[in-house]
Amino acid sequence: MTKQQKSEIIDSLTVEFKNSLAIVVCDYKGLTHIQLESLRKEAKANNTKVQVAKNTLVAVAVRNAELGDIELSGTNVFLWSEDQISACKVADKFASTNKEKFIIKSGIIEGQLADLATVNAFAKLPSREQLLGMLAATWMAPITNFAIGLDALRKKKEEEAA
């Protein structure tokens, strides 16, 4: 790999990392190509990006993105997304189906280094769409209950009149 290619990778990763709120570092040793492609498909469906890159290049990109210093070793695959939850969910789901070969190591969430427990905690949170649905249901509950009460009152008045 030439210096120019390395520089291009660092520049593209720096831009990506600056725009992301979560970066998850995972060990993928032993995964087949087909399994890695299924991870990429799952990630793409959840607006998460996946890349295998040299640890030194990623460490420089993280530093350039002003996300601190991260120590990397071994075979790593990097997942990142524009929200805090998507990358964590994809990594956690894939790790649960490929327990022996795919291990979540650490991450960076909102600019802070995160350990395995933190990444797993974020993976358990509901997604943005689920939270919005819960909020809408909460707002609609009083209106729904009022409508049900009015309908019951109408039925009672009709029975009394008959």
Side-chain angles (χ1 to χ4, degrees):
M1 190 179 291
T2 65
K3 281 190 174 192
Q4 183 176 354
Q5 289 172 321
K6 290 178 183 178
S7 177
E8 289 171 2
I9 291 171
I10 290 171
D11 292 343
S12 70
L13 287 176
T14 300
V15 170
E16 291 287 341
F17 291 166
K18 277 185 180 179
N19 295 328
S20 68
L21 291 176
I23 303 166
V24 181
V25 182
C26 304
D27 186 349
Y28 71 101
K29 194 175 208 170
L31 282 182
T32 64
H33 177 70
I34 294 168
Q35 290 170 321
L36 203 51
E37 284 304 311
S38 71
L39 171 64
R40 285 191 168 106
K41 286 179 186 175
E42 178 73 25
K44 188 174 184 178
N46 289 294
N47 296 324
T48 300
K49 297 181 182 176
V50 177
Q51 186 166 343
V52 175
K54 293 183 81 152
N55 292 336
T56 53
L57 300 180
V58 172
V60 171
V62 167
R63 230 176 287 119
N64 290 349
E66 299 173 358
L67 297 172
D69 285 330
I70 186 167
E71 291 191 27
L72 302 168
S73 63
T75 55
N76 293 319
V77 62
F78 304 92
L79 293 86
W80 66 91
S81 62
E82 292 180 0
D83 64 50
Q84 302 91 332
I85 299 172
S86 297
C88 297
K89 277 189 179 291
V90 170
D92 185 60
K93 183 177 178 184
F94 196 77
S96 66
T97 58
N98 298 283
K99 293 183 193 286
E100 299 296 320
K101 300 176 183 175
F102 189 82
I103 301 164
I104 299 171
K105 289 182 171 181
S106 64
I108 299 173
I109 299 174
E110 293 182 350
Q112 302 293 319
L113 286 176
D115 60 355
L116 172 63
T118 306
V119 173
N120 286 337
F122 271 87
K124 305 294 184 243
L125 293 174
S127 68
R128 182 178 188 274
E129 289 77 22
Q130 290 170 326
L131 287 172
L132 289 174
M134 292 161 68
L135 182 62
T138 302
W139 284 347
M140 291 299 294
I143 297 168
T144 303
N145 291 337
F146 181 70
I148 290 170
L150 281 179
D151 188 48
L153 182 63
R154 178 190 58 84
K155 285 179 184 175
K156 183 178 177 185
K157 294 287 184 183
E158 286 176 358
E159 287 175 6
E160 288 176 358

